[in-house]
């Protein structure tokens, strides 16, 4: 006859087992956690933002599996099941086609679109997007996040602890979605591009921090993203759950309470 202590331990282990199973199913099928490691999506997303990616938004592919190795053998899904089309302006997490890491950018170009940057202005199918002045984005020039990188500033040179300023504009896409974009320099390497025609079954992504983002404006051969196949989409970023400006989430004095549960727009 088992003792009460043995029965208690057994019950605890069973509870823990089923809790892990439920958590695994939840993460695999519904939501996946994601930390923002870089400043490519400022000021929409900041370094240290923590969010859950809605994996139900676009259906599932083998790249949606959080436990897959380099060959994705645990997730032998071909193509995408329960698929639905993303919308222009969505903030999307996707698997980089060659680096096998997750990226987060804004969806700009749909299949068949012609995308071009002309003197720093986004053109979609030959028409420039609507832009409005959005004031300035100001942050402190200091190490940011676990990697300790410092931000790029339009008002360089900037001393430690001083204001790092970037001009901000509000960009409105053809479907009416509006979002902030930042500009650091004029005449950068991505301010004037050839026309990119998005292939069928692919998407074109850009970062909101336009002069500090490796995205579809750059080919994969030089570290960019290029066109992203539909099956590489992981999910949509809907809401920031938590945010910390420090090297660790345990540095409570660096928490950004104004960003808790903030909608991603």
């Amino acid at each position: 006859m088992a003792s009460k202590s043995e029965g208690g331990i057994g019950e605890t282990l069973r509870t823990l087992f089923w809790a892990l199973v439920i958590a695994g199913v939840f993460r695999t099928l519904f939501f996946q956690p994601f930390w923002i490691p870089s400043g490519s999506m400022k000021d929409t997303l900041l370094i240290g933002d923590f969010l859950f990616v809605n994996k139900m938004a676009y259906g599932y592919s083998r790249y949606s599996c959080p436990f897959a190795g380099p060959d994705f053998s645990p997730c032998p899904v071909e193509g995408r099941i329960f698929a639905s089309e993303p919308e222009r302006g969505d903030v999307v997490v996707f698997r980089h086609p060659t680096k096998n890491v997750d990226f987060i950018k804004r969806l700009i170009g749909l299949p068949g679109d012609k995308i071009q940057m002309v003197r720093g202005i986004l053109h979609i199918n030959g028409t420039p997007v609507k832009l409005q002045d959005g004031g300035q984005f100001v942050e402190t020039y200091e190490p940011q996040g676990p990697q300790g990188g410092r931000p790029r500033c339009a008002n360089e040179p900037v001393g430690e602890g001083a204001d790092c300023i970037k001009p901000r504009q509000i960009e409105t896409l053809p479907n009416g979605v509006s979002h902030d974009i930042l500009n650091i320099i004029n005449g950068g390497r991505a301010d004037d591009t050839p026309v990119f025609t998005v292939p069928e079954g692919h998407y074109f992504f850009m970062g909101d921090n336009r002069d500090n983002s490796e995205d579809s404006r750059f080919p994969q051969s030089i570290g960019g993203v290029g066109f992203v196949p539909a099956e590489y989409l992981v999910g949509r970023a809907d809401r920031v759950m938590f945010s910390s400006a420090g090297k660790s989430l345990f540095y409570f004095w660096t928490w950004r309470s104004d960003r808790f549960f903030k909608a991603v727009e």
Side-chain angles (χ1 to χ4, degrees), residues 143-174:
Q144 297 183 342
Q147 298 177 4
R150 288 173 170 80
R152 293 179 62 193
C153 315
N155 59 325
E156 293 178 345
V158 177
E160 191 76 13
D163 285 346
C164 174
I165 300 173
K166 301 176 184 64
R168 175 168 49 201
Q169 293 176 300
I170 301 171
E171 181 178 85
T172 301
L173 301 176

Side-chain angles (χ1 to χ4, degrees), residues 50-67:
F50 174 79
L51 49 86
F52 282 104
V53 178
N54 181 357
K55 300 175 73 172
M56 299 178 288
Y58 311 131
Y60 303 91
S61 75
R62 57 180 178 166
Y63 301 101
S64 305
C65 179
F67 308 112

Side-chain angles (χ1 to χ4, degrees), residues 14-230:
R14 283 192 293 271
T15 300
L16 179 61
F17 169 78
W18 285 113
L20 292 173
V21 169
I22 292 170
V25 171
F26 184 85
R27 184 169 186 259
T28 300
L29 296 180
F30 302 114
F31 296 96
Q32 178 172 320
F34 191 86
W35 282 98
I36 302 301
S38 74
S40 69
M41 283 295 293
K42 289 178 180 176
D43 64 341
T44 303
L45 297 172
L46 304 182
I47 296 173
D49 281 352
F50 174 79
L51 49 86
F52 282 104
V53 178
N54 181 357
K55 300 175 73 172
M56 299 178 288
Y58 311 131
Y60 303 91
S61 75
R62 57 180 178 166
Y63 301 101
S64 305
C65 179
F67 308 112
D71 61 352
F72 297 94
S73 53
C75 301
V77 177
E78 292 297 329
R80 181 170 291 274
I81 60 174
F82 307 118
S84 59
E85 294 299 317
E87 297 183 7
R88 194 191 313 274
D90 284 356
V91 177
V92 180
V93 171
F94 57 89
R95 185 62 56 96
H96 190 284
T98 61
K99 294 183 178 180
N100 195 30
V101 294
D102 288 338
F103 272 41
I104 185 165
K105 306 289 180 183
R106 190 176 298 275
L107 175 56
I108 297 296
L110 303 173
D113 281 343
K114 296 183 183 299
I115 308 296
Q116 185 180 22
M117 295 294 292
V118 181
R119 294 187 293 277
I121 299 174
L122 171 64
H123 288 60
I124 300 178
N125 296 322
T127 303
V129 298
K130 179 182 177 182
L131 291 173
Q132 296 174 275
D133 178 55
Q136 295 180 329
F137 173 67
V138 182
E139 58 185 334
T140 303
Y141 186 76
E142 62 183 0
Q144 297 183 342
Q147 298 177 4
R150 288 173 170 80
R152 293 179 62 193
C153 315
N155 59 325
E156 293 178 345
V158 177
E160 191 76 13
D163 285 346
C164 174
I165 300 173
K166 301 176 184 64
R168 175 168 49 201
Q169 293 176 300
I170 301 171
E171 181 178 85
T172 301
L173 301 176
N175 60 344
V177 173
S178 296
H179 57 276
D180 291 349
I181 61 170
L182 302 181
N183 181 56
I184 302 172
I185 59 172
N186 294 315
R189 61 174 180 156
D191 282 345
D192 289 279
T193 71
V195 175
F196 300 100
T197 301
V198 185
E200 189 65 30
H202 292 69
Y203 298 98
F204 190 98
F205 291 94
M206 293 175 64
D208 291 347
N209 192 359
R210 291 289 163 80
D211 292 320
N212 195 37
S213 174
E214 295 292 339
D215 49 44
S216 292
R217 293 171 291 175
F218 306 97
Q220 297 165 13
S221 60
I222 61 170
V225 171
F227 302 120
V228 178

